[in-house]
């Protein structure tokens, strides 16, 4: 039996950013009949619970996201004990507690090498015996961007791919990667994309230049926190504000449209993941996030009107 057939009735649950999308693209190419879902991080537990209770899936794979509730973990244990397969391929430190289970495969960093969701999925399929050689360049571009290594190596292609991803959206990205996998996998960003990139990068630069002047500084515990409202480019915006303002410990980017808060800080200044955990979020030390209370918008409307 082929490896693809062994993965009949498989569900992939992944994040909806570039790192999550990369894992979906590779999985779809290796396992054409795989189903996938991209819940927001607060809905992952519910999505896992519903998938298990549906009795449809024999394999469930989580990439670049994780469950948070012990109740869900117990349900997963039962799912696995009944002969099914479940694995969490996440790289966020707040998910490390899942490694106490047989199905937890959370890795943040190994000997200085920072992992990402797409890279962990790539290694997972490779260890199973799939031929994954054609994904190497894409995987490293995504890993480099997601871990922010591209700023050290000056790998601009990683940043450009992320810019294109948010312009394309998930479905267009998957269609484009499908074409890449069937042709020249050494050329992820094509000639026609470069023209679009010039415009996108200029728009991004103008957005960052305008927004970075608008933050307000507050005191939070022992930290000086820059607060800013923004609906896009949160990673770059947060890092630019921290880099250009030495007195700032943390930058909090509030996105009312997505009802979320992103936290960014320079290495050693704070542990954003610990702060995010208090508000039902998670992530890395230098980059984390958490959901806003859904009543926030209603409260703002009442204050205005």
């Amino acid at each position: 039996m082929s490896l693809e057939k062994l993965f009949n009735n498989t569900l992939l649950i992944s994040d909806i950013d570039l790192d999550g999308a990369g894992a979906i693209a590779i999985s779809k190419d290796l396992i054409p009949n795989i189903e996938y879902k991209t819940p927001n991080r607060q809905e992952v537990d519910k999505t896992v619970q519903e998938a298990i209770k549906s009795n449809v899936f024999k394999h469930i794979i989580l990439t670049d996201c994780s469950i948070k509730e012990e109740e869900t973990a117990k349900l997963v244990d039962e799912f696995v004990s009944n002969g099914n397969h479940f694995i969490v391929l996440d790289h966020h430190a707040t998910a490390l507690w899942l490694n106490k289970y047989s199905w937890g495969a959370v890795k943040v960093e190994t000997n200085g090498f920072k992992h990402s969701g797409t890279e962990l999925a790539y290694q997972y399929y490779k260890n199973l015996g799939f031929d994954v050689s054609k994904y190497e360049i894409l995987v490293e571009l995504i890993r480099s961007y997601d871990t922010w290594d591209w700023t050290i190596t000056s790998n601009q292609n990683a940043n450009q791919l992320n810019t294109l991803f948010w312009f394309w959206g998930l479905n267009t990205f998957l269609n484009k990667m499908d074409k890449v996998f069937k042709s020249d996998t050494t050329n992820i960003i094509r000639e026609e994309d470069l023209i679009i990139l010039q415009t996108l990068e200029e728009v991004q630069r103008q957005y960052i230049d305008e927004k970075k002047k608008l933050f307000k500084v507050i005191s939070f515990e022992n930290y000086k926190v820059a607060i800013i409202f923004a609906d896009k480019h949160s990673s770059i915006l947060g890092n630019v504000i921290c880099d250009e303002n030495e007195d700032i410990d943390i930058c909090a980017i509030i996105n009312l449209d997505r009802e979320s808060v992103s936290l960014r800080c320079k290495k050693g200044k704070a542990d954003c993941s610990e702060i995010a955990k208090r508000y039902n979020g998670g992530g890395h030390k230098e980059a984390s996030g958490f959901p806003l209370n859904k009543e926030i918008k209603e409260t703002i409307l009442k204050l205005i009107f």
Side-chain angles (χ1 to χ4, degrees), residues 4-202:
E4 293 88 339
K5 289 184 178 179
L6 282 174
F7 277 86
N8 281 338
N9 304 315
T10 296
L11 174 65
L12 174 70
I13 299 173
S14 195
D15 199 9
I16 201 167
D17 65 358
L18 176 62
D19 194 25
I24 296 172
I26 291 172
S27 299
K28 279 173 56 64
D29 193 55
L30 291 172
I31 310 165
N33 63 349
I34 196 171
E35 293 187 36
Y36 68 89
K37 294 181 182 293
T38 56
N40 65 52
R41 296 198 174 190
Q42 286 64 58
E43 298 291 324
V44 174
D45 281 83
K46 179 182 177 182
T47 303
V48 169
Q49 291 175 15
E50 290 175 348
I52 290 175
K53 291 175 182 178
S54 72
N55 293 318
V56 171
F57 304 103
K58 298 295 182 184
H59 308 270
I60 299 177
I61 303 169
L62 270 63
T63 54
D64 197 36
C65 64
S66 63
I67 61 174
K68 297 179 180 178
E69 301 170 9
E70 288 281 2
E71 178 186 348
T72 310
K74 291 177 182 178
L75 188 64
V76 171
D77 260 350
E78 184 180 340
F79 177 74
V80 173
S81 67
N82 288 332
N84 301 299
H85 176 257
F86 189 97
I87 191 165
V88 177
L89 301 168
D90 194 17
H91 66 118
H92 297 96
T94 45
L96 284 169
W97 69 278
L98 294 172
N99 285 344
K100 67 182 179 180
Y101 297 100
S102 62
W103 38 267
V106 181
K107 291 183 180 180
V108 178
E109 188 173 320
T110 303
N111 298 324
F113 179 84
K114 298 175 186 175
H115 298 286
S116 80
T118 294
E119 181 263 334
L120 289 173
Y122 165 85
Q123 294 293 344
Y124 170 68
Y125 290 128
K126 182 178 180 179
N127 292 337
L128 286 174
F130 283 97
D131 180 4
V132 296
S133 56
K134 65 180 176 179
Y135 310 122
E136 288 180 4
I137 293 176
L138 174 67
V139 169
E140 180 51 26
L141 285 177
I142 293 175
R143 188 204 68 81
S144 181
Y145 179 81
D146 200 73
T147 62
W148 223 240
D149 276 357
W150 73 273
T151 60
I152 300 171
T153 62
S154 299
N155 187 350
Q156 290 299 324
N157 283 346
N159 185 40
Q160 290 174 334
L161 182 61
N162 183 68
T163 299
L164 286 167
F165 169 76
W166 289 110
F167 172 73
W168 289 332
L170 177 61
N171 290 334
T172 299
F173 171 79
L174 293 177
N175 289 334
K176 283 183 174 288
M177 291 308 103
D178 183 57
K179 293 177 182 176
V180 167
F181 297 153
K182 289 178 170 58
S183 55
D184 179 12
T185 56
T186 64
N187 188 18
I188 306 297
I189 298 176
R190 304 301 170 93
E191 196 69 36
E192 62 268 23
D193 301 324
L194 295 175
I195 300 172
I196 300 172
L197 265 171
Q198 290 179 355
T199 302
L200 293 176
E201 288 175 340
E202 178 58 23

